[in-house]
Amino acid sequence: MKKAVPAVSGILVGFLAATVFFADFTTQGTSTSATPTGEKSTAEKVYIPFGQQDEYYMFASGGHSGQLFVYGVPSMRRIRTVPVFSPDSATGYGFDKETKEMLGGFRWGDFHHPAFSEKNGEYDGKYMFATDVANNRVAVMDLSTFVVKDILKVPNTVGPHCAAFVTQNSEYLFLPTRFSAPIGQQYASLDDYKTKYNGFMSAVKMNEKTKKLEVAWQVKLPPWSYDLSDAGKKVSGDWAVVTTYNTEEATTNMEINASQKDRDYILLFNWRELEKMVREGKADTINGVKIIDPLKVKSGLYLVPVAKSPHGVDVTPDGKRFIASGKLAPAMTVFSFEKAFEAIKNNKITEQVKGIPVLDYASVMEREVNPENALGPLHTQFDDKGMAYTTMFISSEIVKWDPNTGKTLDRVPVQYSPGHSVSAEGDSVSPDGRYIVALNKLAKDTYLSVGPSHPESMQLIDLASDKMRVIQSAPVDPEPHYAQMIKADKIKTIEVYPKDETNPNAVYQQKNARIERKGNEVHVYGLAMRSKFIFDDKAKRKDTIEVKEGDKVVIHLTNVDFDEDITHGFGINGYDQDIEVQPGETKTLEFVANKAGTFPLYCTNFCSALHQEMNGYLLVQPK
Amino acid sequence: MSKGLSTVSGICLAVAAVLQGISILLPWWGMKFIAPQYPEGLDIVVYPYKLEGRIDIINGLNHYIGMKEFSAATFHELDYLPYVIGAMAILTLIAAIVRKKGILYVLIGLFVIGGTLGIYDMLHWLRSFGTELDPHAPIKISPFIPPIIGENRIANFITYSYFSYGSFLIGAAFLLVLLSLWKERKL
Ligand SMILES: [Cu+2]
């Protein structure tokens, strides 16, 4: 009995303390714990315990970082940064021979819109395409390794902001111009803008066998800016839509001069028809590229008038409608593909502009949607019921509305100023309706301060209940323009690179490691393993490379640790050389030993308990 | 001349012969290595004619403590073991056909001798791998002898050694041979 008193009083004190410090006395408000019975709390909705994994991958473009950011959803944890258009010392991307050649000497890229490969309008989880507004490149990344396999520099298309969008069976990805320029980017005075400048749209194909990209053909377009685009689906599968601005053809002070007209256009085109014309030889061949000129041939291109300077144009999952977002006009316009096809059949054409017929607005438009006080609509995503979610840049919110009626269903404020948003499988024919992420341009004081420039912010919104709710917020480096979200089980990665006995540069057995001299070239066939480099198995010091000043040094390095996650790095102190070899992989590093001296080389990617000992020397004998 | 065995005993012996034959194709013994970094475990699996499992990775890690490399070339037993087991199976089959008690004693004798030699050989190898460590190895650990069966700890690894299907079949075959002897006990 005597012992029971302190025990009981101890428990009581504990309860009291817990009540005082942790109880929630608020009876109303938006407290996260105030959820209906049975529903998970906000924290539970985004918490992924160790041993479990996220439901979705989100691939966010990294804007002018030239990188791709891979996130898990709903945890919003950043899983990986994949370099695409810029060199990256963390992975040695742009340092080894292959990726250095692939980057083509550019030190940066501006990656705007990622796009998954598709099969029957569904993401197939095989490839991701990326486009570079800065240097007119397009890249393909293999989703079995998360490594870029090819980069193609596309001629004529200058600043492919309006890309990439992929047709429903990945037949093409299209890259239309943001900036108009003379063909081949040759010099021409801006006074000759209307006659010598053009927009270009490139149709790019990937050869799945070689994983190489190629320009199939291009279309010469009026000298306007082409902003965003989407490929049709199902009934509209052979079609695609592109927004335009600066149909004023202004050449300076665009902010004012490209915003004068009340209407710009949506370019509507049938890519099957264009493809057919190329096949029939109706395209000109200029500098080796087949180019269709709508001034010369009736081309399968149409213009649809739209409220001025639209930004996004998005095709509904059923492929029946396309929705333009006004940007400067406070409304979304719903157009009908079926009405457009009807208008084309019945020749409802009001005029021809630069050889392209303009369809009668009223014959194609279904409704204008103007949610109260919603300003700056930019881009629309969809859920599993076909409902639309449009980001409002100026009023900083996402508005949910019904494309069938135009009725506003819900709205949620985001912090702050969303550009694009991405919903789960949102660009496919069957969005999941689980989540939408707002890609916000401003974070302000959401996170700990890091100086005058703040990170961007991504906010996860739960779509499972009727009321949209922000359930997670994650900072991100500059600057995701767009993202796509794919069900995690669609992506099938490999654990190690398989042995390739046909690769003459690969060395899988220590006894084959060797250094060969051919004139003033030194070829190293080496391997990396926990925890050493073997460059020459017969040498007194197997981990030393000795060359003469001025020699060209070619180092082939194979990681023979065929073990999950055991990556080795290879850096040369003072020589600005750095590569990585993933398990089973062989890479080649090429450089000229242009300075004599003693240069330690070492493993840069922590691989084992004796990683610190994983080093050798590059000795360069003076001339 | 010993008396002939019963039909039941003959069947037991025939089954024992088949089991031995099948066991050649199955794993006999294995060791699983589990470490914090390898929660899924690394395996060495011994068949009468080959080694399987993630041998390269285990060798790669073992060089840190100076252990010799596992490879099928090291174990010459793997060259002739299938023939030894095959011969035993054939002998058992002959016993089943001839059905003479004398052969049964020979068979049991061979089982006992073979089993003892087998266990001795395994102990020899385990001792050799665990104690003959390269003195120049980066990580010095005390010599150890992993058990033929059960748990052991080496550095960050916990090892589990176990007999597998092939051994179980041999065990069953041995019991069948004993059973046929027991069946004949009154004769
Ligand atoms: Cu290493």
Side-chain angles (χ1 to χ4, degrees):
Chain A
M1 189 60 201
K2 269 183 189 165
K3 279 180 184 167
V5 174
V8 169
S9 54
I11 289 168
L12 284 176
V13 169
F15 270 120
L16 189 64
T19 312
V20 169
F21 289 110
F22 300 111
D24 184 0
F25 290 107
T26 52
T27 49
Q28 55 174 26
T30 53
S31 161
T32 51
S33 59
T35 49
T37 11
E39 204 193 320
K40 284 180 173 177
S41 71
T42 303
E44 284 170 321
K45 281 178 180 171
V46 299
Y47 177 62
I48 305 291
F50 182 78
Q52 289 176 33
Q53 288 175 345
D54 279 302
E55 200 180 338
Y56 291 93
Y57 282 96
M58 179 168 72
F59 290 71
S61 67
H64 46 296
S65 75
Q67 298 171 324
L68 174 81
F69 307 140
V70 183
Y71 279 76
V73 173
S75 73
M76 299 300 284
R77 292 181 296 206
R78 181 140 151 199
I79 303 168
R80 188 73 165 153
T81 299
V82 183
V84 181
F85 294 117
S86 328
D88 175 43
S89 61
T91 52
Y93 185 76
F95 289 78
D96 67 285
K97 185 168 185 267
E98 194 187 340
T99 58
K100 195 174 171 182
E101 279 167 12
M102 219 159 63
L103 283 177
F106 290 104
R107 293 184 303 160
W108 75 295
D110 190 6
F111 173 14
H112 274 243
H113 304 125
F116 288 121
S117 55
E118 292 182 19
K119 183 92 191 147
N120 300 323
E122 301 281 5
Y123 305 153
D124 63 9
K126 286 180 165 173
Y127 304 99
M128 160 130 285
F129 301 103
T131 48
D132 170 21
V133 177
N135 298 306
N136 318 326
R137 294 174 292 174
V138 53
V140 58
M141 178 175 126
D142 188 335
L143 295 180
S144 69
T145 53
F146 282 56
V147 165
V148 173
K149 301 308 287 185
D150 192 30
I151 296 180
L152 173 73
K153 193 156 185 327
V154 181
N156 304 325
T157 296
V158 185
H161 177 270
C162 193
F165 62 103
V166 174
T167 55
Q168 58 183 358
N169 284 298
S170 304
E171 291 97 340
Y172 292 103
L173 58 142
F174 286 100
L175 293 83
T177 304
R178 171 177 168 189
F179 307 110
S180 280
I183 197 158
Q185 278 185 271
Q186 286 168 332
Y187 170 81
S189 164
L190 280 163
D191 292 337
D192 299 328
Y193 188 83
K194 284 172 193 291
T195 51
K196 293 195 174 154
Y197 284 59
N198 275 102
F200 284 91
M201 179 173 73
S202 304
V204 169
K205 255 185 166 340
M206 185 185 71
N207 180 331
E208 225 189 310
K209 233 173 163 177
T210 59
K211 303 202 166 82
K212 296 279 177 213
L213 298 161
E214 57 188 62
V215 178
W217 38 267
Q218 294 185 330
V219 184
K220 200 172 184 178
L221 294 170
W224 307 336
S225 291
Y226 300 83
D227 198 6
L228 280 171
S229 53
D230 201 2
K233 301 176 173 89
K234 297 181 175 175
V235 284
S236 57
D238 295 348
W239 295 77
V241 280
V242 174
T243 53
T244 68
Y245 61 105
N246 194 26
T247 56
E248 293 87 347
E249 302 181 9
T251 54
T252 184
N253 193 9
M254 303 282 284
E255 176 194 32
I256 304 298
N257 296 335
S259 309
Q260 292 304 302
K261 284 199 196 168
D262 281 342
R263 292 222 180 278
D264 287 293
Y265 299 108
I266 285 177
L267 175 72
L268 170 71
F269 68 92
N270 185 311
W271 56 266
R272 289 256 186 229
E273 227 170 285
L274 291 163
E275 185 183 53
K276 190 164 150 251
M277 257 176 273
V278 174
R279 233 184 0 249
E280 288 168 357
K282 290 179 182 161
D284 305 323
T285 303
I286 304 171
N287 300 331
V289 185
K290 293 200 170 65
I291 299 176
I292 296 169
D293 187 345
L295 283 170
K296 293 185 188 166
V297 288
K298 191 187 158 301
S299 53
L301 266 64
Y302 302 90
L303 294 171
V304 180
V306 64
K308 74 173 174 184
S309 303
H311 191 56
V313 58
D314 300 282
V315 176
T316 53
D318 60 13
K320 288 183 177 163
R321 298 184 173 107
F322 53 99
I323 296 167
S325 301
K327 187 168 80 179
L328 299 182
M332 290 81 78
T333 313
V334 182
F335 296 95
S336 159
F337 271 112
E338 276 152 346
K339 286 178 83 171
F341 300 157
E342 199 67 18
I344 291 165
K345 206 167 80 187
N346 298 328
N347 209 28
K348 298 261 195 214
I349 286 157
T350 54
E351 58 179 320
Q352 301 273 332
V353 173
K354 312 240 168 182
I356 308 174
V358 179
L359 297 176
D360 173 42
Y361 176 70
S363 307
V364 183
M365 193 273 290
E366 211 169 76
R367 66 176 51 83
E368 289 175 356
V369 178
N370 191 353
E372 205 179 343
N373 300 324
L375 294 174
L378 287 190
H379 178 246
T380 302
Q381 285 276 281
F382 302 94
D383 68 12
D384 52 333
K385 297 181 184 70
M387 297 301 111
Y389 298 77
T390 304
T391 47
M392 301 291 168
F393 184 83
I394 298 170
S395 56
S396 192
E397 60 181 330
I398 288 182
V399 173
K400 176 182 179 181
W401 56 282
D402 185 345
N404 304 301
T405 61
K407 205 176 146 228
T408 300
L409 303 172
D410 192 12
R411 48 212 296 173
V412 64
V414 293
Q415 292 74 33
Y416 303 89
S417 293
H420 280 271
S421 68
V422 51
S423 69
E425 304 248 332
D427 288 314
S428 74
V429 293
S430 60
D432 285 358
R434 290 282 288 113
Y435 301 107
I436 192 165
V437 174
L439 305 173
N440 303 326
K441 295 302 180 192
L442 302 172
K444 309 274 286 182
D445 295 318
T446 308
Y447 312 105
L448 289 173
S449 174
V450 287
S453 178
H454 299 189
E456 323 294 308
S457 178
M458 304 198 293
Q459 284 179 303
L460 176 69
I461 294 155
D462 184 18
L463 300 182
S465 48
D466 285 343
K467 179 84 193 98
M468 286 189 283
R469 214 182 337 205
V470 174
I471 56 172
Q472 181 66 301
S473 184
V476 57
D477 291 335
E479 167 184 312
H481 287 267
Y482 188 44
Q484 283 195 329
M485 209 193 294
I486 187 171
K487 198 103 176 101
D489 59 16
K490 284 190 178 174
I491 293 199
K492 312 256 189 276
T493 52
I494 58 167
E495 290 295 2
V496 299
Y497 281 86
K499 266 188 195 169
D500 177 9
E501 302 286 0
T502 64
N503 181 355
N505 301 332
V507 171
Y508 298 111
Q509 290 189 332
Q510 188 171 332
K511 65 177 185 340
N512 297 332
R514 64 199 186 276
I515 298 178
E516 292 170 0
R517 175 175 278 282
K518 292 169 192 155
N520 61 350
E521 286 185 13
V522 177
H523 294 255
V524 180
Y525 297 85
L527 57 83
M529 59 193 267
R530 277 172 289 184
S531 314
K532 58 183 132 209
F533 293 109
I534 309 281
F535 302 121
D536 184 354
D537 192 48
K538 310 252 173 342
K540 181 171 148 200
R541 297 184 182 88
K542 301 180 199 307
D543 45 18
T544 293
I545 299 171
E546 187 146 359
V547 302
K548 295 192 182 74
E549 189 181 347
D551 278 346
K552 181 181 169 188
V553 185
V554 184
I555 301 169
H556 308 291
L557 188 64
T558 303
N559 178 352
V560 296
D561 279 315
F562 286 86
D563 194 0
E564 182 180 1
D565 201 19
I566 305 301
T567 296
H568 293 292
F570 174 79
I572 306 177
N573 182 304
Y575 246 87
D576 199 28
Q577 299 296 339
D578 160 54
I579 60 170
E580 128 188 316
V581 274
Q582 296 185 12
E585 193 182 29
T586 303
K587 285 243 183 83
T588 299
L589 181 64
E590 243 183 51
F591 61 96
V592 176
N594 50 17
K595 54 183 171 187
T598 298
F599 306 96
L601 53 88
Y602 67 103
C603 176
T604 51
N605 198 306
F606 212 114
C607 58
S608 60
L610 289 150
H611 163 76
Q612 195 71 357
E613 281 74 10
M614 189 163 170
N615 64 259
Y617 281 92
L618 168 70
L619 299 176
V620 184
Q621 297 171 14
K623 263 183 192 159
Chain B
M1 273 305 268
S2 47
K3 288 192 88 179
L5 303 181
S6 71
T7 314
V8 176
S9 293
I11 291 169
C12 282
L13 289 171
V15 172
V18 171
L19 292 183
Q20 290 174 72
I22 294 171
S23 81
I24 297 175
L25 304 171
L26 297 175
W28 276 45
W29 184 83
M31 194 187 257
K32 199 175 188 75
F33 297 68
I34 292 173
Q37 300 84 349
Y38 291 93
E40 75 281 10
L42 297 169
D43 275 309
I44 292 186
V45 184
V46 182
Y47 288 67
Y49 63 100
K50 66 172 177 181
L51 293 181
E52 267 208 350
R54 304 178 74 189
I55 313 274
D56 287 346
I57 292 170
I58 290 169
N59 283 338
L61 296 169
N62 282 352
H63 93 272
Y64 286 121
I65 58 168
M67 194 185 277
K68 287 182 290 194
E69 286 200 357
F70 293 107
S71 79
T74 321
F75 301 105
H76 297 296
E77 291 88 332
L78 303 183
D79 298 336
Y80 58 78
L81 207 53
Y83 301 105
V84 172
I85 300 164
M88 279 293 286
I90 289 164
L91 194 64
T92 313
L93 196 63
I94 291 169
I97 295 162
V98 178
R99 283 160 55 183
K100 289 280 189 310
K101 208 169 175 180
I103 300 188
L104 219 48
Y105 288 118
V106 174
L107 214 51
I108 291 167
L110 285 175
F111 262 107
V112 172
I113 293 164
T116 313
L117 281 176
I119 300 283
Y120 173 80
D121 189 51
M122 287 179 73
L123 276 173
H124 154 75
W125 279 120
L126 290 169
R127 179 190 303 273
S128 144
F129 274 96
T131 56
E132 293 165 25
L133 300 171
D134 184 344
H136 299 297
I139 299 173
K140 301 261 181 296
I141 63 163
S142 324
F144 61 95
I145 305 172
I148 287 182
I149 183 161
E151 192 182 312
N152 190 41
R153 181 173 265 279
I154 319 164
N156 59 332
F157 278 93
I158 297 174
T159 64
Y160 297 96
S161 335
Y162 56 90
F163 284 107
S164 190
Y165 310 109
S167 314
F168 300 155
L169 289 192
I170 290 298
F174 185 51
L175 286 179
L176 283 170
V177 174
L178 288 181
L179 181 67
S180 55
L181 185 67
W182 181 78
K183 285 284 299 174
E184 311 299 329
R185 68 194 183 282
K186 281 177 189 158
L187 300 170

